[in-house]
Amino acid sequence: MLEILFSEIERYPWRNPRWHPDKLEASSPLRPGDDRPSFRVITDPDSPNFGCWVDSGASDPNRRRGGPVQLLAILRGISEAEARQILAEEEDADSGAYITLRLREPTARARPKSLDSTLLDAYAMQDSDYLTSRGISPEVQALFRTGYDPINQAVTIPWVDVTGRLLNVKYRSVRKKRFWYAKNGVPVRDLIYGIDIVYKRRIRKVCIVESEIDALYLWTIGQPAIATGGASFNEKKRDLILRSPVEELILLRDNDSAGRVWRNEIVASFDGKLRIDLSLVPRGDKDVSEAQLSNIGKTRQIVSSLPILRMAA
């Protein structure tokens, strides 16, 4: 159950998120008009309250708080009975199928300012044992300025804009499945990881994946890559890529249903605007870094997009 819920929380397109080492505060997924972080979830897997949530702005007393079953039902848009059954079945099978619930975006507002780049100085190091164990070379770690937070025992992954300004930092615990973001950082839901390197090197053909770790691994094996930072895609991410030197995208999705949805969203977004190729992670492996690919193998061009892709495995 821990694995399933952690993946759901990480993938969900939260609005106005504030990530902390042990909890998440965000706008309520139950109230599309909520523009304040009034929804709180315990995200520490070691806590006995992991997956418990409170919606302080809810008018319905039955929607003010709940546990992991209710949380899964909310994030997937299903009944509690269905959520309870999924948790029981997937815990036994150790597999998952994910659905992204799409809510209307809040009214546009001024973006937070960029972060002080000296923040990274506290995490600077030659390389990370954790990232090295994931197959990422010290040279790539240096290129993307990854580091290590010794206090929280977490790898630090900077997110920057096309000019190299620091916009956010993702913290990934090396001891357990837990992550959070820098306070006052720009939400990564509207950013593309690695887009600054694409501009600097004028890269025209690039792989696109969900996670930063997968992108870093692809760079290590000589394949330029960018990441969306999760299984959601939107017009702002699309426009960042369209304004870049990229002329061809190679899609490498995760081997789950959320990965298929992610792939279909990207293909639909770029329909006719640039070339889209598809390369598959070997069956049985969840993602690129787990497969430890030595190359991306053969690709096939996507010509007639959505109907074919929805039928693909």
Side-chain angles (χ1 to χ4, degrees):
M1 183 179 74
L2 295 180
E3 187 82 18
I4 297 167
L5 278 178
F6 186 88
S7 295
E8 288 293 336
I9 293 169
E10 184 176 19
R11 291 170 180 273
Y12 189 77
W14 299 98
R15 292 176 295 115
N16 304 313
R18 297 177 182 173
W19 297 95
H20 306 278
D22 58 352
K23 67 180 178 181
L24 163 67
E25 298 174 323
S27 295
S28 174
L30 295 168
R31 293 178 289 113
D34 179 31
D35 288 335
R36 297 182 301 166
S38 55
F39 192 87
R40 295 186 298 278
V41 181
I42 302 300
T43 57
D44 181 359
D46 292 337
S47 170
N49 297 318
F50 174 69
C52 293
W53 55 274
V54 174
D55 188 349
S56 60
S59 57
D60 183 348
N62 295 320
R63 286 294 196 175
R64 288 178 182 168
R65 64 183 68 246
V69 172
Q70 292 84 1
L71 180 63
L72 181 63
I74 291 168
L75 299 186
R76 293 198 181 185
I78 58 178
S79 69
E80 291 183 18
E82 291 173 308
R84 191 173 291 106
Q85 182 178 358
I86 288 172
L87 287 173
E89 291 177 351
E90 294 190 4
E91 189 167 351
D92 291 336
D94 193 28
S95 63
Y98 305 93
I99 299 174
T100 300
L101 179 63
R102 305 286 294 184
L103 298 177
R104 182 167 49 180
E105 291 293 324
T107 303
R109 64 188 65 188
R111 288 197 171 281
K113 294 181 180 179
S114 60
L115 299 176
D116 186 346
S117 61
T118 59
L119 172 66
L120 300 180
D121 294 343
Y123 312 131
M125 59 185 304
Q126 266 192 329
D127 54 55
S128 161
D129 291 339
Y130 173 81
L131 292 178
T132 301
S133 72
R134 298 292 298 269
I136 299 164
S137 70
E139 292 79 13
V140 169
Q141 294 177 43
L143 176 65
F144 285 85
R145 295 187 292 168
T146 58
Y148 182 71
D149 177 357
I151 296 177
N152 292 300
Q153 295 183 281
V155 171
T156 57
I157 303 175
W159 281 69
V160 303
D161 66 8
V162 297
T163 65
R165 291 189 314 141
L166 181 65
L167 298 183
N168 210 330
V169 179
K170 182 175 183 177
Y171 297 79
R172 185 79 179 194
S173 172
V174 301
R175 297 188 299 112
K176 47 192 155 184
K177 280 215 160 190
R178 194 168 68 180
F179 70 97
W180 61 97
Y181 291 92
K183 184 178 180 181
N184 299 323
V186 176
V188 301
R189 67 170 180 265
D190 296 333
L191 306 177
I192 290 291
Y193 183 73
I195 197 70
D196 58 315
I197 308 299
V198 167
Y199 270 87
K200 287 178 184 176
R201 301 193 174 187
R202 307 300 299 173
I203 297 171
R204 290 180 169 79
K205 181 177 181 180
V206 65
C207 295
I208 184 168
V209 291
E210 291 182 35
S211 79
E212 307 95 323
I213 298 293
D214 287 347
L216 294 172
Y217 178 76
L218 285 169
W219 274 96
T220 297
I221 64 171
Q223 301 288 348
I226 54 178
T228 56
S232 62
F233 198 75
N234 57 34
E235 291 182 358
K236 292 180 180 178
K237 290 181 182 288
R238 178 203 64 191
D239 292 345
L240 281 174
I241 295 173
L242 286 177
R243 289 195 296 265
S244 78
V246 172
E247 298 173 357
E248 180 178 354
L249 278 178
I250 301 174
L251 273 65
L252 270 167
R253 69 169 179 84
D254 286 3
N255 273 331
D256 55 26
S257 61
R260 289 190 287 273
V261 172
W262 172 87
R263 173 198 60 192
N264 291 352
E265 287 181 343
I266 293 176
V267 170
S269 294
F270 289 111
D271 188 23
K273 296 179 175 68
L274 47 72
R275 174 173 171 141
I276 302 287
D277 290 339
L278 175 66
S279 186
L280 300 177
V281 172
R283 189 179 298 274
D285 292 313
K286 178 183 177 296
D287 52 36
V288 172
S289 58
E290 182 177 297
Q292 293 286 286
L293 301 175
S294 59
N295 58 71
I296 62 169
K298 294 181 179 179
T299 65
R300 72 169 186 264
Q301 185 176 9
I302 298 172
V303 179
S304 179
S305 57
L306 235 43
I308 294 175
L309 284 176
R310 282 176 175 164
M311 295 171 60

